[in-house]
Each structure stands twice: as structure tokens, then as C-alpha cells.
Amino acid sequence: GAVVSQHPSRVICKSGTSVKIECRSLDFQATTMFWYRQFPKKSLMLMATSNEGSKATYEQGVEKDKFLINHASLTLSTLTVTSAHPEDSSFYICSAREFLPRDRSTDTQYFGPGTRLTVL
Amino acid sequence: DAKTTQPPSMDCAEGRAANLPCNHSTISGNEYVYWYRQIHSQGPQYIIHGLKNNETNEMASLIITEDRKSSTLILPHATLRDTAVYYCIANSGNTPLVFGKGTRLSVIA
């Protein structure tokens, strides 16, 4: 299957600083990428959808000024957590949908390995 | 996306087949049934998806009932590495995947 990478895999930062997480589709082009967040023992929650070259669409309750998303190319999306606070500590997971489906059916979302953010 | 219902947890003996059920009684005609799994502290892994016909790949088989109201994911020979949370999602492919609580499968030696 298609491969999605994330960097960094783990980050610890001080309260008030900003953290950037990169998401790359390694062997396919992704017009659409998604960012999810997951708290311990909970399911994934969709934060936003980003399309290459346009502004991201945020889910209700997600602050767009706090979680800046940039989808600059067909293989790269970034999530910047601005002025991070301890309550932003979470597991952030990106996902990419392939531009040209490899098979006869619908597009498939592939997920990155996740980034664990700890804000002290 | 149509709502899906899965048992919260299941156990399976190592080497035996694991059959994970999913109910999606309100699935619409253009929605596929997707299965993903999430091993602890990792991103979800795509397993398989289907529309009407049964599907099989190197990881699993997907059996969809004729009325499409339910499906079963089959791991033919479960190993300890198959211990994970398994998510069944109904989705048209044009919208983001929405995750429910899934089934926590424990494979026991």
C-alpha cells in the first residue's frame, strides 16, 4: 500500500512555543490530506481537511488560528500548533488520499505513523 | 457516513480465525465498507474495503451480506501481532473517514 510519513514522531516542548509537524505522501500524490487528533484510550477525531493549494477546512470546535495547516504541494502538508499549552498534548495523525486511485474502486485514505506531542 | 456498530472487544486464540462483525444497517448505495486497524501508539493501517462483493487480500477477507447491512472481517490465522483495535467504517470515498470506537481484538497465546 501507499506510504505516508510524519516528522517528528515525538516532540516535547515548553508551553507557549510553536511546533510544526510534517506529513508526506512518499510514493503517491495526494490532493487531499487530513489531520486527526487522538487522546489516550479514545478514538481518532478529525481536525481538518486540506486540499493542495487552498485553505484548510476545519471541523467544528477546532481553532484554525491555533492549528495552522499548510498543504503546499501534492506530497506535503504541515500542521503547526501555535502557542502550545499542556491541553494540546496529544497524538496527532495525518492521512492522505491518493490523487489517482491505484485500483478500480474508490480512493483510499492512508495514515501516517503519528506524532506524539507533549507540552510541558 | 452511515453509522457502524461493532462489539467493544473480542478475544481470539493464536492460530485460529478471528471473525470481527460490523453492523451498518443504514449504509447507502454509494458507501463502501472500509476496515482499518490501529496497533497501540501507531497510525491506523488500511486492511481492506469492499462495496458489494466479498474481497480478499494478503491480510484479510471481507464478507458483506447480500443486503449490505452487515459485514465480517476475517483474519484467517490470527497471530499475537494482530492484537489491535479494528475499525469498520462506511464511507463513500469522497469525505474524510470518521472513526467510531472499534473492536479491541486480543489474540491470546
Side-chain angles (χ1 to χ4, degrees):
Chain A
V3 179
V4 177
S5 71
Q6 271 183 254
H7 178 79
S9 59
R10 186 179 294 266
V11 57
I12 301 172
C13 69
K14 293 182 179 178
S15 188
T17 60
S18 294
V19 174
K20 181 186 281 189
I21 302 170
E22 287 189 352
C23 175
R24 293 181 186 273
S25 55
L26 296 185
D27 53 357
F28 67 99
Q29 293 184 322
T31 49
T32 307
M33 288 185 167
F34 310 92
W35 287 94
Y36 292 78
R37 181 162 68 172
Q38 186 175 34
F39 291 107
K41 299 189 178 180
K42 299 292 185 182
S43 190
L44 283 78
M45 294 293 293
L46 179 68
M47 297 175 67
T49 300
S50 75
N51 291 294
E52 185 260 340
S54 61
K55 289 184 178 179
T57 303
Y58 291 81
E59 295 299 300
Q60 194 170 14
V62 178
E63 299 174 58
K64 60 182 177 184
D65 294 331
K66 181 166 188 61
F67 299 100
L68 301 179
I69 293 171
N70 185 284
H71 191 163
S73 75
L74 285 173
T75 59
L76 173 64
S77 176
T78 60
L79 168 69
T80 301
V81 183
T82 62
S83 187
H85 290 285
E87 56 265 30
D88 299 322
S89 298
S90 189
F91 191 50
Y92 292 87
I93 307 167
C94 75
S95 177
R97 178 181 288 151
E98 201 168 359
F99 177 54
L100 292 175
R102 289 170 186 258
D103 60 31
R104 77 290 182 250
S105 67
T106 190
D107 295 349
T108 299
Q109 270 185 240
Y110 297 98
F111 288 81
T115 297
R116 187 159 303 281
L117 170 64
T118 303
V119 184
L120 302 176
Chain B
D1 294 353
K3 179 178 161 56
T4 60
T5 304
Q6 300 177 252
S9 63
M10 292 181 64
D11 291 340
C12 176
E14 190 178 21
R16 305 297 291 267
N19 297 287
L20 292 92
C22 179
N23 220 297
H24 31 80
S25 58
T26 60
I27 195 169
S28 59
N30 67 339
E31 287 183 316
Y32 289 74
V33 179
Y34 287 87
W35 283 84
Y36 286 79
R37 73 180 182 184
Q38 187 177 27
I39 295 169
H40 184 61
S41 294
Q42 297 181 25
Q45 178 188 22
Y46 166 76
I47 300 173
I48 199 167
H49 73 283
L51 184 63
K52 295 180 185 176
N53 300 322
N54 298 337
E55 302 286 346
T56 295
N57 62 22
E58 63 279 2
M59 288 184 69
S61 294
L62 173 60
I63 308 298
I64 303 173
T65 58
E66 198 169 334
D67 62 8
R68 301 212 323 128
K69 292 185 177 182
S70 65
S71 60
T72 301
L73 179 75
I74 300 172
L75 308 178
H77 306 286
T79 70
L80 298 178
R81 283 179 289 188
D82 292 321
T83 292
V85 179
Y86 287 76
Y87 297 97
C88 166
I89 303 169
N91 185 271
S92 63
N94 299 320
T95 57
L97 295 175
V98 175
F99 287 77
K101 296 182 179 180
T103 295
R104 182 171 298 277
L105 175 69
S106 298
V107 180
I108 303 165

